[in-house]
Amino acid sequence: PPHRPQLTLIVAATHNLGIGKNGTLPWPSLKSEMAYFARVTKRPPHSSPSGTKNAVIMGRKTWESIPPKFRPLKDRVNVVVTSSGRLASVEPEKAREQGIVVTTSLEEAVDCLRAAGEKGAKSMGDAPTSLPPIGKLFIIGGSSLYRAALDLPQAKRVLLTKIYKEYDCDTFFPLDLEGEEGKRRGWVKTSKQELEEFVGEDIEDTRMKEGDVEFELCMFERG
Ligand code: FOL
């Protein structure tokens, strides 16, 4: 496993980069888009050891935004970053057995997962983790965690779903990947083929529609 594991941000945003409103998503459920999020974040890399799970790293407000019946997000190691080091909704002892890791910074989150991912390479002296082997690392929001991740050189990929409808938003993705700053920082949109290869599924058309909402599945990378 790499010493500095790559991080992939996954986000759905409007044209104005809106990602949230009043502690939840700005749009009334986009089932097919959410299903894409769930499939992609659950699917471990090809040729990973059996039992490998991906990790989803999120900020405390994003954790709270997930309907209680869906959290922790199943079949993934859930990591919640919170400066207080506590989650009101979870008993600390219960957290780890449910596959929930609570950390106080993104760096701590990545270090903790790296230790789990390299488990077996070292034999003694590790803290007991009870974490499975870790595959891909996804940053799932919200805006302050996206910003922290974009500042790390390990963040080399963004899976962006562009929502082609305007919704009132009070929370925004911190970087316009296709704007001046995004270009200056080296972000480029990849091909559909590269997207399919990374997400591990064939995509008939990256341009999709649910009800009257059109959206587009995109991937951006930086060298
Ligand atoms: N990225 C994309 N592309 N779409 C999103 O909706 C999205 N949402 C978040 C982060 N990145 C995203 C954060 N918000 C659930 C709810 C909110 C949320 C993320 C996940 C959630 O409940 N997920 C369940 C699926 C539930 C269902 O099937 O409706 C899961 O198992 O992933």
Side-chain angles (χ1 to χ4, degrees), residues 10-12 25 33-34 37-38 66-67 70 73 76 140 146 161:
I10 184 166
V11 60
L25 296 173
E33 207 289 318
M34 183 59 81
F37 167 89
I66 298 171
F70 289 127
L73 296 177
R76 289 148 284 183
I140 70 163
Y146 287 137
T161 300

Side-chain angles (χ1 to χ4, degrees), residues 87-101:
L87 279 186
S89 55
V90 183
E91 314 234 26
E93 1 29 297
K94 300 246 173 94
R96 190 57 69 91
E97 59 195 63
Q98 291 183 249
I100 307 166
V101 178

Side-chain angles (χ1 to χ4, degrees), residues 100-201:
I100 307 166
V101 178
V102 179
T103 69
T104 59
S105 70
L106 178 57
E107 285 199 311
E108 188 190 338
V110 172
D111 283 351
C112 171
L113 292 167
R114 187 174 60 195
E118 290 171 358
K119 185 173 52 129
K122 290 181 291 185
S123 55
M124 307 274 286
D126 294 339
T129 59
S130 84
L131 289 176
I134 303 296
K136 294 173 175 175
L137 271 51
F138 290 98
I139 308 294
I140 70 163
S143 54
S144 64
L145 203 64
Y146 287 137
R147 184 178 294 102
L150 288 166
D151 284 337
L152 299 177
Q154 298 149 262
K156 298 227 175 286
R157 189 175 294 106
V158 179
L159 294 174
L160 167 67
T161 300
K162 294 188 190 181
I163 308 288
Y164 290 104
K165 186 177 176 178
E166 283 316 307
Y167 291 95
D168 190 26
C169 298
D170 61 16
T171 312
F172 297 84
F173 190 75
L175 176 64
D176 181 1
L177 298 166
E178 294 179 290
E180 193 76 352
E181 193 185 356
K183 290 202 176 103
R184 188 155 39 78
R185 292 176 180 265
W187 288 102
V188 290
K189 191 170 188 256
T190 71
S191 66
K192 173 174 180 280
Q193 184 186 321
E194 289 172 292
L195 168 62
E196 292 175 317
E197 192 167 319
F198 180 77
V199 300
E201 63 184 62

